């Protein structure tokens, strides 16, 4: 292993290949709650990567992958963006980390064609800030907004808080440049046309691939003008079922909100001090009369399903606190508890059964003190259910929570992940969702990365 590290130092220089314990310790985890718990609650020294490579160009990445491929020993490689994965996708123990954050340029902004070209290591918040300065936006705002990089968002198939109206990351990505495991560099298309019927869309090989098929280095993304008209508010319901029926009708009637988050009674109580299910909702656009018309129809639909309008306060409370990740972690620790979040998705007919089974299964688990959820990221045929679980810190309890959560999701016909991705934590259940299609993924992996170098060492995707 030391031979390849020395070779990388000779190729790139010591300023780009870091092996100091202080730096390696920083890269020993991402935001996976299991690793955070082991480090912050149990004071464990987590296993460290072998080295951290910090490239400054696509050519640097190409040289790294070629050098490792040519070496005698197989050295695993993990791509690291903002470190905001909550599934262990960028956990690099025993691997060479490629930190993408020096590849952070905004290369081109074309407002006439509504496109931006950016390097994959750019922070989302920086890209969004630059776009806002000229009156534009990606309108892709996940909770990881302050940490995530563009490449990381693409690699994990991210979704943002405005996805109901603007789509998910796969709807925003137009084109990509990728460094393949053998070091070859390629764009996936020669043009940035909005759609092409020229064989399978290759972007979907890399969107959601979590670094196992190649390193995303540049992306062409769709942008939109910043909305100039917005209306928002909140409704309480007597039951979660009423709220779900209202959301379904909104989507079926194409009264599409920008944001819609329906909290169950437990989460509404903890976050807002309200002891009933709570819907916060907004509409936005460019013409006041159109946005107001949508709001009027939404109001009619919400009230027809038993909703009572509560004004704007709860939505404003959410806007103010939606990125307070560190504060929430410290609050949980203060009470001697730990947490995880598990987001799944399902169709409308299965939403309430899945929610109940998931909640009830976990509440029966020894050590679990609370399970709360909200429904968001709406589609014509279903939605995402985002659960937060509070429990007494314990590794065995952690895995029991995940076992019961995944079993309940699969039992009720849901997908085991809506937007956090697979990482290490979900890999053991992937075969139950993909079935024989997992062999297709294996074949693609072997074809592009026959030595299994990229981001599967710790059991990602293929735990066997």
């Amino acid at each position: 292993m030391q031979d390849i590290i020395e070779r990388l130092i000779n190729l790139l220089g010591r300023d780009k290949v870091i092996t100091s314990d202080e730096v390696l310790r920083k890269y020993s985890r991402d935001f996976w709650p299991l690793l955070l718990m082991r480090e912050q609650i149990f004071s464990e020294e987590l296993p460290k990567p072998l080295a951290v490579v910090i490239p400054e160009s696509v050519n640097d990445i190409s040289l790294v992958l070629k050098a490792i491929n040519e070496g005698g020993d197989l050295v695993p490689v993990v791509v690291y963006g903002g470190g905001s994965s909550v599934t262990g996708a960028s956990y690099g123990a025993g691997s060479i980390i490629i930190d993408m954050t020096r590849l952070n340029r905004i290369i081109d902004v074309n407002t006439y064609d509504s496109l931006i070209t950016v390097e994959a290591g750019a922070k989302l918040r920086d890209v969004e800030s630059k776009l806002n300065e000229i009156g534009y936006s990606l309108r892709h705002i996940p909770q990881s907004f302050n940490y995530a990089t563009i490449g990381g968002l693409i690699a994990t198939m991210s979704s943002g808080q405005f996805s109901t109206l603007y789509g998910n990351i796969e709807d925003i990505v137009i084109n990509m440049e990728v460094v393949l495991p053998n070091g070859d560099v390629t764009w996936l298309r020669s043009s940035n046309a909005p759609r092409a019927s020229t064989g399978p869309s290759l972007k979907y090989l890399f969107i959601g691939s979590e670094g196992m098929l190649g390193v995303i280095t540049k992306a062409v993304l769709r942008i939109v003008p910043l909305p100039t008209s917005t209306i928002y508010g909140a409704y309480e319901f007597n039951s979660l079922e009423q709220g779900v029926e209202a959301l379904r009708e909104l989507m079926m009637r194409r009264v599409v909100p920008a944001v819609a988050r329906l909290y169950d009674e437990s989460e509404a109580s903890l976050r807002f001090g309200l002891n009933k299910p709570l819907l916060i909702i907004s509409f936005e656009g460019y013409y006041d009369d159109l946005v107001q018309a949508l709001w009027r129809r939404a109001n009619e639909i919400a009230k027809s399903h038993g909703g009572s309008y509560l004004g704007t306060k709860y939505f404003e409370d959410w806007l103010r606190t939606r990125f307070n990740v560190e504060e929430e972690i410290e609050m949980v620790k203060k009470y001697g508890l730990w947490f995880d979040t598990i987001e799944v998705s399902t169709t409308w007919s299965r939403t309430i059964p899945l929610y109940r089974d998931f909640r009830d299964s976990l509440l029966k688990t020894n050590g679990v003190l609370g399970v709360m959820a909200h429904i968001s990221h709406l589609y014509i045929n279903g939605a995402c259910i985002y659960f937060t679980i509070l429990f007494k810190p314990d590794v065995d309890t952690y895995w029991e929570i995940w076992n019961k959560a995944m079993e309940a999701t699969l039992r009720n016909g849901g997908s085991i992940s809506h937007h956090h991705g697979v990482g290490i934590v979900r890999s053991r259940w992937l075969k139950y969702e993909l079935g024989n299609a997992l062999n297709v993924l294996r074949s693609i992996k072997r074809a592009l990365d026959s030595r299994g170098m990229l981001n599967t060492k710790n059991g990602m995707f293929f735990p066997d």
Side-chain angles (χ1 to χ4, degrees), residues 6 38 61 137 189 230 294 300 312 314 402 413 430 457:
E6 289 299 324
R38 289 171 56 190
I61 297 172
S137 175
R189 285 168 50 193
T230 302
L294 288 169
E300 292 170 3
T312 62
Y314 294 116
W402 272 92
L430 195 60
K457 171 187 177 290

Side-chain angles (χ1 to χ4, degrees), residues 120-183:
K123 291 283 182 70
L124 172 61
R125 68 183 181 193
D126 297 334
V127 175
E128 182 69 14
S129 177
K130 292 293 185 184
L131 286 171
N132 291 173
E133 289 174 5
I134 59 172
Y136 279 78
S137 175
L138 286 172
R139 229 63 195 129
H140 187 77
I141 315 291
Q143 191 176 35
S144 59
F145 180 78
N146 289 316
Y147 309 97
T149 60
I150 296 298
L153 295 166
I154 296 169
T156 54
M157 198 174 279
S158 167
S159 186
Q161 293 160 352
F162 295 85
S163 70
T164 299
L165 182 58
Y166 296 97
N168 301 299
I169 197 69
E170 66 269 24
D171 304 300
I172 296 169
V173 173
I174 303 298
N175 200 359
M176 280 184 281
E177 180 189 71
V178 177
V179 182
L180 298 175
N182 64 3

Side-chain angles (χ1 to χ4, degrees), residues 182-323:
N182 64 3
D184 289 351
V185 182
T186 184
W187 280 90
L188 301 184
R189 285 168 50 193
S190 62
S191 77
N192 296 323
R195 189 174 188 272
S197 179
T198 50
S201 180
L202 294 178
K203 73 176 184 179
Y204 287 103
L205 272 183
F206 298 95
I207 297 174
S209 67
E210 301 186 31
M212 73 162 173
L213 299 179
V215 181
I216 300 165
T217 49
K218 295 186 184 74
V220 181
L221 308 171
R222 181 201 70 198
I223 60 177
V224 297
L226 275 169
T228 55
S229 180
T230 302
I231 302 177
Y232 55 76
Y235 294 84
E236 68 175 9
F237 292 88
N238 289 319
S239 69
L240 194 67
E241 289 87 340
Q242 287 180 327
V244 168
E245 288 300 316
L247 294 181
R248 178 183 174 275
E249 185 170 346
L250 286 173
M251 297 306 292
M252 293 297 292
R253 303 290 185 187
R254 308 313 295 140
V255 184
V256 182
V259 173
R261 297 166 72 89
L262 175 64
Y263 296 89
D264 73 355
E265 185 175 331
S266 295
E267 190 162 3
S269 176
L270 183 67
R271 295 191 182 279
F272 302 99
L274 188 71
N275 292 318
K276 286 186 176 182
L278 173 71
L279 171 65
I280 61 170
I281 187 168
S282 72
F283 290 85
E284 62 183 38
Y286 306 98
Y287 299 98
D288 289 344
D289 57 339
L290 292 181
V291 175
Q292 289 165 4
L294 288 169
W295 180 261
R296 285 195 299 272
R297 290 298 186 189
N299 182 62
E300 292 170 3
I301 290 170
K303 289 183 175 179
S304 74
H305 291 283
S308 299
Y309 183 62
L310 300 178
T312 62
K313 177 185 181 299
Y314 294 116
F315 192 96
E316 289 165 353
D317 288 346
W318 170 76
L319 273 179
R320 189 180 65 255
T321 61
R322 58 186 168 147
F323 301 132

